[in-house]
Amino acid sequence: MKFDDRESRRVEAIYLTPDVVVQRARVLDALALARNERVLDLGCGPGLLALEMAHRVGMQGEVQGIDASPSMIALATRRCYGKSWVQIARGDVSWLPYPDAHFDAAVCTQVYEYVSDIECALRELHRVLRPGGRAVIVDTDWESCVWRSSDAERMRRVIEIWDRHCAHPHLPRTLRRRLEDAGFEVAGVEAIVLLNDRYDPNTYSHGVIATLCNWAKKHMDEAQAQAWAQDLRVLGERDEYFFSLNRYLFKAVKRREV
Ligand SMILES: C[S@@+](CC[C@H](N)C(=O)[O-])C[C@H]1O[C@@H](n2cnc3c(N)ncnc32)[C@H](O)[C@@H]1O
């Protein structure tokens, strides 16, 4: 999936909903940043987390954000403008332009699922963290999705097709083992539940309907994709809407020896 200008602004709007604000608070809690620390935001997107981390580490600290999308880089650069201790760069999380053992902590939310060579990306994460450095990683498994629909078979198809938008749609299931193989200790795994029981524009699920519909239109019958989105609207109008999805947060620590 391409994070062009339109999609990047859509992600930014979705990530400003209370659902994702709560998710960011959980990520920040898990990361437990101290003043003056150096932290890396892998796939920083619109820079929402980078800015919050900048406030936590303070101007004697360092925040580096890296992202592959020029549109996201533009949003993050604008958001963090004036914070001299924040740097946003274009690049790939599989090939990090930072020295060995440079960071105290790193965060990667909703990014590794898009990265085809995940082993390489985890090796790079391991390399740039200092021994004992922390990483917090969040990814989604859409098979955990419970989304009310008047047509269960069509809903199943849309989710099945949506699974193809990224390289690792079920990454959380294998991530603990992959992290251990890359030289990390996994200190904990938690579920973050995104739950909406109202069809409300200020929610995560309302925001992603357009994204899923646009994707589905390209990969299944267009009228079916539109009917899927319309059905959710109608359920919402009848106050019969329900959506729930799990994201998984992994806390990892770089072992002192591999
Ligand atoms: C769903 S957004 C998440 C953004 C941000 N981490 C957040 O949680 O707000 C996914 C981001 O990952 C970036 N991305 C995907 N693959 C990448 C890669 N191989 N290297 C760097 N960034 C990547 C995309 O450009 C996009 O900004």
Side-chain angles (χ1 to χ4, degrees):
M1 195 169 112
K2 278 210 175 84
F3 292 93
D4 57 12
D5 282 355
R6 199 174 67 146
E7 197 48 46
S8 297
R9 278 198 303 274
R10 192 178 285 151
V11 168
E12 182 180 47
I14 295 170
Y15 282 22
L16 285 165
T17 61
D19 295 325
V20 188
V21 170
V22 167
Q23 173 188 311
R24 258 193 311 283
R26 297 233 350 227
V27 168
L28 286 166
D29 273 359
L31 205 54
L33 288 174
R35 299 297 284 176
N36 307 341
E37 281 197 312
R38 292 176 179 167
V39 59
L40 172 60
D41 189 349
L42 295 148
C44 61
L48 293 156
L49 196 51
L51 182 61
E52 294 197 37
M53 295 196 298
H55 293 140
R56 300 220 172 187
V57 299
M59 60 195 308
Q60 304 302 322
E62 179 182 320
V63 180
Q64 297 281 353
I66 186 165
D67 201 285
S69 151
S71 309
M72 290 293 198
I73 293 293
L75 291 175
T77 303
R78 207 172 311 143
R79 175 156 282 115
C80 298
Y81 178 77
K83 305 263 179 306
S84 56
W85 63 103
V86 181
Q87 275 158 26
I88 308 290
R90 187 169 175 206
D92 193 310
V93 299
S94 308
W95 309 103
L96 296 174
Y98 311 109
D100 294 358
H102 183 73
F103 294 100
D104 300 295
V107 66
C108 188
T109 61
Q110 294 297 123
V111 178
Y112 280 148
E113 61 200 50
Y114 293 98
V115 177
S116 42
D117 192 347
I118 186 81
E119 268 68 37
C120 175
L122 293 179
R123 267 199 309 277
E124 278 292 87
L125 170 64
H126 187 270
R127 180 183 68 74
V128 300
L129 278 175
R130 65 164 170 78
R134 296 107 59 207
V136 172
I137 298 161
V138 176
D139 282 290
T140 304
D141 187 332
W142 276 83
E143 221 172 276
S144 69
C145 181
V146 179
W147 209 342
R148 184 169 180 183
S149 168
S150 309
D151 185 336
E153 173 55 23
R154 186 178 58 205
M155 174 61 83
R156 201 184 53 71
R157 280 208 64 215
V158 170
I159 299 293
E160 224 172 68
I161 284 165
W162 176 241
D163 268 352
R164 298 184 212 150
H165 87 287
C166 66
H168 297 282
H170 308 299
L171 184 60
R173 301 171 194 195
T174 57
L175 192 54
R176 183 179 60 80
R177 185 58 185 273
R178 289 177 194 264
L179 283 163
E180 287 167 355
D181 289 348
F184 292 92
E185 240 163 58
V186 175
V189 185
E190 300 167 17
I192 299 176
V193 183
L194 300 171
L195 200 157
N196 305 141
D197 65 350
R198 296 280 187 278
Y199 186 77
D200 175 348
N202 198 23
T203 57
Y204 171 81
S205 68
H206 189 284
V208 295
I209 291 170
T211 306
L212 265 74
C213 187
N214 285 341
W215 178 265
K217 275 195 228 162
K218 292 183 206 144
H219 298 91
M220 67 191 273
D221 179 62
E222 193 172 332
Q224 280 292 305
Q226 264 155 354
W228 168 81
Q230 171 64 13
D231 178 51
L232 295 172
R233 260 192 298 279
V234 171
L235 287 171
E237 279 158 19
R238 291 195 208 133
D239 199 18
E240 291 175 358
Y241 185 80
F242 185 90
F243 170 90
S244 165
L245 177 72
N246 289 352
R247 286 181 162 172
Y248 299 92
L249 181 155
F250 290 75
K251 287 196 263 186
V253 179
K254 175 171 170 172
R255 282 200 299 262
R256 286 171 198 278
E257 281 169 30
V258 185

